[in-house]
Amino acid sequence: MSKFTRLYLRVPQPTTLFGCISLQTGTELISLALVFNKVTGVYGLLAILTGYQLSLLQLSTYVYSIGVLGLLIFLIPHIRRQSPFECLALAWVYILDACINAAYTAAFGLDWYFHSTATDSETRPSGLTSTVMESIEGLKKESAIHGKVVPQETAMSMIFIVAVTLIRVYFSLVVMAYARQALQKYMQLMIMEGPGVDDYDGPFALDLPDGEGRRGRLGRVMVSFGRTYWLGHLEDNGWSGNTSNRQRKANEPGTLAGEV
């Protein structure tokens, strides 16, 4: 079972974006696209100045978008620097946003399904991408015109929504792959130059410089979910083992870091 899991249930690890763009550039493009999507949260809050009353759900989506936008502004410059902590945090931000976005898509899709005669005067939440919301609004217009759901338009819109969701999943895998690459390069550098790498918490172990303070605690939390994915490269290349053993072997003559 373990061999089957290792071979067939492993998380996909893309090496490029669409087969032609490097992971670094792809991660930058994906992050910038998310920035443009979250900017709508700023314009959504401006609706309050016009006297428009926002529901609690709408207000929460706008505040959430602004919060994600602030994190992206802080984390994106670290993509080129290949900072392991920030790249890992960016991956988790994108993963969580994709999950929340999928939940909003399902919620508002069901809302449309059960209230297909609703008017178009509702303010669309910024938590959803514009393309997904245009599809849902298209379904609402068709329902208002024809009085019921039009099968062909419904099928096409649903297929489009599913396609957009699958693209978000693929983008998540790309951002994760780049964060994993940056983290493992940093760990290899630590093995070569010291003080070594912990085989459980990676560079965020308590006895390592990157494991100190809040950053260290947050780093250990982030690698604890999917530890075999983020740190699996240690085992695949014989890097596992305690820190002192790795450091001793790295310093032996004729032995390269990562060799057993």
Side-chain angles (χ1 to χ4, degrees):
M1 181 63 182
S2 59
K3 184 177 181 180
F4 175 83
T5 302
R6 183 183 295 271
L7 294 177
Y8 299 104
L9 300 182
R10 180 179 297 177
V11 177
Q13 301 173 13
T15 57
T16 58
L17 175 64
F18 298 134
C20 58
I21 303 176
S22 67
L23 286 178
Q24 177 177 304
T25 304
T27 300
E28 290 177 333
L29 294 176
I30 292 171
S31 300
L32 289 176
L34 188 59
V35 167
F36 288 124
N37 175 247
K38 297 307 176 184
V39 166
T40 57
V42 178
Y43 294 102
L45 286 180
L46 292 179
I48 299 178
L49 301 179
T50 64
Y52 185 85
Q53 294 183 350
L54 299 177
S55 67
L56 182 61
L57 178 61
Q58 291 170 338
L59 181 61
S60 65
T61 56
Y62 292 139
V63 173
Y64 162 76
S65 296
I66 293 177
V68 173
L69 180 62
L71 287 175
L72 291 172
I73 293 175
F74 172 74
L75 295 174
I76 286 178
H78 290 274
I79 296 176
R80 288 187 177 273
R81 302 172 191 169
Q82 298 187 18
S83 306
F85 177 85
E86 284 76 9
C87 289
L88 186 60
L90 177 63
W92 275 112
V93 168
Y94 197 90
I95 292 170
L96 294 176
D97 181 73
C99 294
I100 294 173
N101 198 73
Y104 273 119
T105 301
F108 285 95
L110 291 174
D111 178 71
W112 163 81
Y113 181 79
F114 291 111
H115 304 85
S116 58
T117 58
T119 61
D120 296 330
S121 59
E122 301 175 354
T123 303
R124 66 184 191 179
S126 64
L128 299 179
T129 57
S130 58
T131 52
V132 171
M133 284 307 304
E134 287 173 2
S135 298
I136 294 178
E137 289 180 354
L139 291 175
K140 288 183 178 181
K141 292 179 181 179
E142 292 292 339
S143 177
I145 294 173
H146 299 280
K148 60 180 181 179
V149 177
V150 181
Q152 291 183 345
E153 285 77 1
T154 300
M156 292 300 298
S157 297
M158 289 300 180
I159 291 174
F160 185 74
I161 292 173
V162 171
V164 171
T165 302
L166 291 178
I167 291 175
R168 285 296 304 270
V169 172
Y170 174 68
F171 284 170
S172 298
L173 293 174
V174 172
V175 178
M176 290 170 58
Y178 181 71
R180 182 175 185 267
Q181 181 185 91
L183 180 62
Q184 292 174 358
K185 284 184 177 180
Y186 183 72
M187 290 189 295
Q188 186 175 15
L189 183 63
M190 291 182 66
I191 291 174
M192 295 177 64
E193 299 181 355
V197 176
D198 182 80
D199 61 349
Y200 187 75
D201 291 321
F204 306 114
L206 286 171
D207 57 342
L208 295 177
D210 293 288
E212 299 176 353
R214 295 180 180 178
R215 287 170 60 92
R217 289 193 295 270
L218 184 56
R220 288 191 292 274
V221 171
M222 289 190 294
V223 298
S224 65
F225 296 94
R227 192 184 308 275
T228 56
Y229 177 81
W230 304 116
L231 305 179
H233 194 58
L234 291 174
E235 299 176 357
D236 296 340
N237 292 271
W239 293 357
S240 60
N242 59 52
T243 300
S244 59
N245 289 339
R246 291 297 100 192
Q247 184 176 2
R248 177 178 55 81
K249 289 188 177 182
N251 293 330
E252 289 179 358
T255 302
L256 296 177
E259 288 186 350
V260 178

